[in-house]
Amino acid sequence: PTLSPTAPPTPVPSLAPTPVPSTLPTPLATGVGVCDDLLLDGSGGSGSGGRDLTYRWSVSGLAASSTGGLAGNAALHARAVANLSFALGAVNALNAGAGSSTATVPSVAFQIGLAAAFKLTVTNFLNASSSSDLYAVKLAAPVPALSLLAPAKLTWAPPRPEEASLRLMSKTALPRVDCLGPDGQLPNSEVSFRWTERTGRYP
């Protein structure tokens, strides 16, 4: 699953590139379904100066919330990081070593219960670079894939209070269950939605 802005990013007047990695189901709850690959997308970055950027994906850490026998087990953690790093290393080797703005972590490389931090470092032709992190956890259950059809950062300024309405749209898909075998089929195709305003500024 991936989260890609539908509107072009606003140019940043800076020599340093600005990576915007993101993932699904949402940037607030980055749970990855048991059968799902993890798709990291940094294509919304800017600051290339009209030239190609160099992309480097890496695992920057493992969260303490890891479960499933991983918590406190250094050997299992090291093996989990090695699997993720191998998958990301293949992406970094693309395009004659320049890497790619998107990276796919196969489901089999992302161990159930693992909570990991992924880092994207982007470098431009002036050797100026910047990095951004994203946290994801591999769940033991299937979850639907959700895309928000909006830019990564949305500015909302209604001209008058009476026009203070904002239309948000999303796209969703049923979760993959192919890794669960014949007994892992979903009982139905129903998906429920709940929207939440998280800043606390509005009722």
Side-chain angles (χ1 to χ4, degrees):
T2 182
L3 175 62
S4 298
T6 57
T10 302
V12 177
S14 171
L15 295 180
T18 305
V20 187
S22 52
T23 187
L24 281 185
T26 71
L28 299 176
T30 53
V32 181
V34 61
C35 298
D36 290 328
D37 299 334
L38 172 62
L39 177 57
L40 301 166
D41 190 342
S43 59
S46 59
S48 66
R51 305 190 189 186
D52 292 337
L53 295 169
T54 298
Y55 299 89
R56 285 291 176 269
W57 295 94
S58 61
V59 180
S60 57
L62 298 176
S65 58
S66 295
T67 60
L70 289 170
N73 191 318
L76 287 181
H77 266 183
R79 187 183 309 166
V81 171
N83 290 337
L84 295 176
S85 298
F86 180 82
L88 296 177
V91 177
N92 293 336
L94 296 174
N95 301 314
S100 173
S101 61
T102 60
T104 298
V105 178
S107 179
V108 293
F110 200 174
Q111 189 167 339
I112 293 174
L114 182 65
F118 297 88
K119 180 185 289 291
L120 171 60
T121 300
V122 181
T123 305
N124 64 12
F125 70 101
L126 294 174
N127 206 33
S129 63
S130 61
S131 300
S132 185
D133 292 274
L134 181 135
Y135 300 88
V137 58
K138 186 62 177 290
L139 304 176
V143 296
L146 173 67
S147 298
L148 298 180
L149 305 181
K153 181 178 181 181
L154 184 64
T155 301
W156 177 49
R160 292 185 295 272
E162 61 270 20
E163 298 180 0
S165 62
L166 178 65
R167 181 178 177 84
L168 299 174
M169 299 181 66
S170 67
K171 180 177 68 175
T172 190
L174 293 176
R176 286 179 52 189
V177 293
D178 51 290
C179 70
L180 301 178
D183 297 329
Q185 301 303 310
L186 296 174
N188 58 63
S189 58
E190 295 180 3
V191 177
S192 60
F193 297 85
R194 181 181 179 182
W195 293 88
T196 304
E197 196 285 310
R198 297 175 63 91
T199 67
R201 299 178 182 178
Y202 306 98

